[in-house]
Amino acid sequence: MADASPMVAQADSPETRRYNRIHRWLEIADFLIGLAFLVVLLATGWTSTLRDWAYRSSGQHYMLAVFFYITMLLAISKVLGFGLDYYGFRLEHRYNLSNQRIRSWLWDQAKTWIITLVIGTVLVELIYWTIRTSPQHWWMIAWVVFILLSVFFAQIAPVVLFPLFYKFKPLENDSLRTRLLRLSDRAGTHVREVYEWELSEKSKKANAALAGLGATRRIILADTLLQNYSDDEIESVLAHELGHHVHKHIMKGIAVEVVVSFFGFWITAEILRYAVDTRGMFESLHDFANLPLLVLGSTVMSFILMPLMNAYSRSKEREADRYALESIPDVTPFITSMNKLADQNMAEREPSRLVEWFFHSHPAISKRVAVAEAWRKTQPQMNAD
């Protein structure tokens, strides 16, 4: 039987706290630069200048002009944020968390920019098409399209997007594969396959996920996890992921996104109508020079809602942890895996209340371990000699 004595709580090292503090400031700086860029575009009228350049470059073709405009916006945004991106790349190397070479990182940056351009163009073209087609109700049509596309991309991500950045192969450990598939079956989750995620080519961190929807749902395990964790620990990590399925967190998350995005599109539409009809800031509703205003509105709303959405996410993570504790024979591997993940990924075990409240979508690791310890003490078989 497992030793029932409580495990010694581990404290965050000064290095871990420093790494996470720098990482947070990078996120804040990136957010502020993006926000400032949108405000400057609107306050100076440069957005109209870019629109005019886009029209001239496209031969006055509306949809092509929208594409050129988006391309210019994303190119300028990338230039403005490249310094922070590179600092983040160097930060991972400074703290010995990355294996990625500069050429590979630059190629990933290029691919990310291209994918953002493609997806952004599709979304923005659809939005302005709906505005021109139905000026009164465009936001409702755009909202429905947004939800459908969100589900579509969640479904294709494991088979289309992820392989653009990482290599995957079927898990060769047959005993572990069988064990995880049985765990999935007990959770009522149909899983297509278990894959090894070759994360070590780029990172020294460890991770695992239950990715995809429907026919594309699969278990992906980082090779860094397979190399450093026991089968019991890997099972406990996956049990947490399956807890999200058992508690229908994906469907609940989609429902929350449906409601939040509905009000988001409505508020954005009202802001746009006020800017056009009352303030005369733009020539018409379908003047795509107003795109920075739409993005600014959604960005501010997301920022305001972030603490609330993170609190909701943490509640789901606690439910998934509870399922993991209930579904594995011994919670000790769950505790050890949490501590090992914290060490390997340099995650803060005990962030301040403010940091956890605003930045963290998961409960603090110290709290997750404490819950597991409390659960461990309630199990008679764990207390036996």
Side-chain angles (χ1 to χ4, degrees), residues 113-125 149 153 161:
W113 188 86
I114 293 171
I115 292 170
T116 303
L117 176 62
V118 172
I119 296 177
T121 297
V122 171
L123 291 174
V124 174
E125 293 280 11
L149 286 177
F153 283 122
L161 299 180

Side-chain angles (χ1 to χ4, degrees), residues 233-308:
E233 289 172 331
I234 292 173
E235 181 184 43
S236 72
V237 171
L238 182 63
H240 166 88
E241 299 300 328
L242 290 169
H244 289 301
H245 170 81
V246 170
H247 288 286
K248 297 180 172 56
H249 288 162
I250 294 176
M251 297 307 299
K252 291 177 181 177
I254 292 174
V256 170
E257 185 176 8
V258 166
V259 174
V260 172
S261 60
F262 177 86
F263 286 103
F265 272 97
W266 173 70
I267 292 172
T268 301
E270 291 300 310
I271 292 173
L272 180 59
R273 191 171 299 282
Y274 173 79
V276 173
D277 295 342
T278 305
R279 300 299 301 271
M281 294 175 60
F282 306 101
E283 295 177 358
S284 63
L285 287 177
H286 63 267
D287 178 4
F288 55 82
N290 60 40
L291 178 60
L293 182 62
L294 297 181
V295 177
L296 181 63
S298 62
T299 300
V300 172
M301 181 177 176
S302 297
F303 177 80
I304 294 172
L305 290 177
M306 186 184 297
L308 183 61

Side-chain angles (χ1 to χ4, degrees), residues 7-267:
M7 296 183 178
V8 178
Q10 301 180 48
D12 292 320
S13 67
E15 188 177 41
T16 295
R17 291 195 176 278
R18 190 180 307 113
Y19 166 76
N20 283 277
R21 185 169 59 250
I22 295 173
H23 204 279
R24 281 193 296 274
W25 278 112
L26 281 177
E27 292 179 356
I28 293 170
D30 184 64
F31 171 78
L32 292 177
I33 287 175
L35 200 67
F37 176 50
L38 295 172
V39 171
V40 169
L41 282 172
L42 294 167
T44 61
W46 287 352
T47 180
S48 297
T49 301
L50 292 179
R51 175 205 58 203
D52 295 340
W53 287 353
Y55 266 124
R56 285 197 294 268
S57 301
S58 66
Q60 303 301 312
H61 188 281
Y62 183 84
M63 294 186 67
L64 189 57
V66 171
F67 169 73
F68 285 144
Y69 179 82
I70 297 169
T71 302
M72 287 188 286
L73 280 188
L74 289 178
I76 297 171
S77 179
K78 189 61 183 177
V79 170
L80 291 174
F82 185 79
L84 290 179
D85 293 337
Y86 180 71
Y87 187 87
F89 167 74
R90 296 305 307 167
L91 180 69
E92 297 297 300
H93 280 272
R94 183 195 308 174
Y95 286 90
N96 198 32
L97 295 171
S98 177
N99 296 317
Q100 191 171 26
R101 297 181 180 275
I102 184 66
R103 181 180 298 180
S104 170
W105 178 78
L106 288 172
W107 179 225
D108 279 355
Q109 293 291 305
K111 286 186 287 188
T112 300
W113 188 86
I114 293 171
I115 292 170
T116 303
L117 176 62
V118 172
I119 296 177
T121 297
V122 171
L123 291 174
V124 174
E125 293 280 11
L126 283 171
I127 286 175
Y128 283 97
W129 177 81
T130 58
I131 291 177
R132 288 189 295 162
T133 303
S134 180
Q136 294 296 322
H137 307 293
W138 71 268
W139 62 274
M140 286 188 285
I141 301 172
W143 165 67
V144 172
V145 172
F146 171 79
I147 295 300
L148 294 176
L149 286 177
S150 296
V151 174
F152 172 72
F153 283 122
Q155 186 170 30
I156 69 167
V159 294
V160 177
L161 299 180
F162 293 176
L164 293 175
F165 297 92
Y166 297 99
K167 295 177 183 177
F168 296 87
K169 63 181 181 181
L171 183 65
E172 296 177 357
N173 186 333
D174 289 334
S175 62
L176 178 60
R177 175 183 176 276
T178 300
R179 183 174 179 176
L180 297 182
L181 288 177
R182 285 176 178 170
L183 184 65
S184 302
D185 289 339
R186 291 201 302 271
T189 306
H190 173 71
V191 174
R192 184 178 181 87
E193 187 53 271
V194 183
Y195 289 92
E196 179 178 342
W197 170 17
E198 297 185 16
L199 182 61
S200 62
E201 289 187 353
K202 299 179 181 180
S203 177
K204 296 181 181 180
K205 296 180 178 181
N207 208 341
L210 183 65
L213 297 173
T216 67
R217 185 181 288 120
R218 60 200 58 204
I219 297 169
I220 56 175
L221 304 172
D223 54 358
T224 49
L225 191 79
L226 294 167
Q227 293 162 6
N228 301 305
Y229 295 72
S230 69
D231 288 359
D232 288 342
E233 289 172 331
I234 292 173
E235 181 184 43
S236 72
V237 171
L238 182 63
H240 166 88
E241 299 300 328
L242 290 169
H244 289 301
H245 170 81
V246 170
H247 288 286
K248 297 180 172 56
H249 288 162
I250 294 176
M251 297 307 299
K252 291 177 181 177
I254 292 174
V256 170
E257 185 176 8
V258 166
V259 174
V260 172
S261 60
F262 177 86
F263 286 103
F265 272 97
W266 173 70
I267 292 172

